[in-house]
Amino acid sequence: MFRHFIKALLPFRNQLSRTVGGNGSAFQQNCLSKEEKLTEALKKSLPGITYISVEDISGGCGAMYEISIEAKEFVGLSTVKQHRLVTESLKSDIAEMHGIRIHTTPAKGDN
C-alpha cells in the first residue's frame, strides 16, 4: 500500500524539487533578501550613508549579521551613539537575530 502511495506522488516530486531548488535554494534567497532589507532600512533612516556593507556571518541561516557603515550622521558622535543610531534603525529586525556586529565610521566632509 505504501508503494502505491509513493508511485502516486512521483509526478509531483519533480515539481516540488524545482520549486524548492530554483535559482539557488530558498534558504539562500531568503538570506539575500534579508541583507537587502537591512541595507534599505539603514539607507532610509540614515540618508548620509557613504558606504554600507551588510553580511550574513551565521553560515547562511540569518541569525547573525556584520554591518559596516560610514555616514555623515556619525560625525561628532561617540561610537556608542553611532551604534545606537544603527540599532534604533533596525530595532524590529534585531529582535529576530541571534547577534549583530556593528562597525561605524564618520564620513569625511567634502573639503
Side-chain angles (χ1 to χ4, degrees):
M1 183 169 170
F2 187 69
R3 281 183 280 163
H4 296 290
F5 179 71
I6 297 298
K7 282 185 180 180
L9 290 178
L10 200 54
F12 299 105
R13 184 183 71 183
N14 291 337
Q15 185 180 11
L16 288 172
S17 65
R18 281 193 302 269
T19 303
V20 173
N23 295 332
S25 70
F27 185 72
Q28 290 169 331
Q29 291 173 358
N30 183 42
C31 288
L32 182 59
S33 63
K34 182 69 172 181
E35 290 170 346
E36 290 172 348
K37 180 182 174 189
L38 296 173
T39 300
E40 289 306 313
L42 287 165
K43 284 181 177 179
K44 184 177 179 181
S45 65
L46 302 169
I49 290 177
T50 55
Y51 172 81
I52 185 167
S53 171
V54 178
E55 183 182 353
D56 181 355
I57 58 171
S58 61
C61 69
M64 188 159 180
Y65 290 88
E66 184 165 28
I67 299 174
S68 299
I69 302 174
E70 180 180 60
K72 294 175 185 176
E73 287 86 353
F74 300 152
V75 174
L77 297 178
S78 68
T79 303
V80 171
K81 288 182 180 179
Q82 293 172 26
H83 288 206
R84 198 170 290 149
L85 282 175
V86 173
T87 56
E88 283 297 317
S89 302
L90 303 175
K91 196 172 200 167
S92 62
D93 296 299
I94 289 174
E96 301 170 3
M97 295 179 197
H98 175 71
I100 185 169
R101 290 184 191 163
I102 301 171
H103 308 281
T104 56
T105 307
K108 294 182 175 50
D110 299 325
N111 293 338

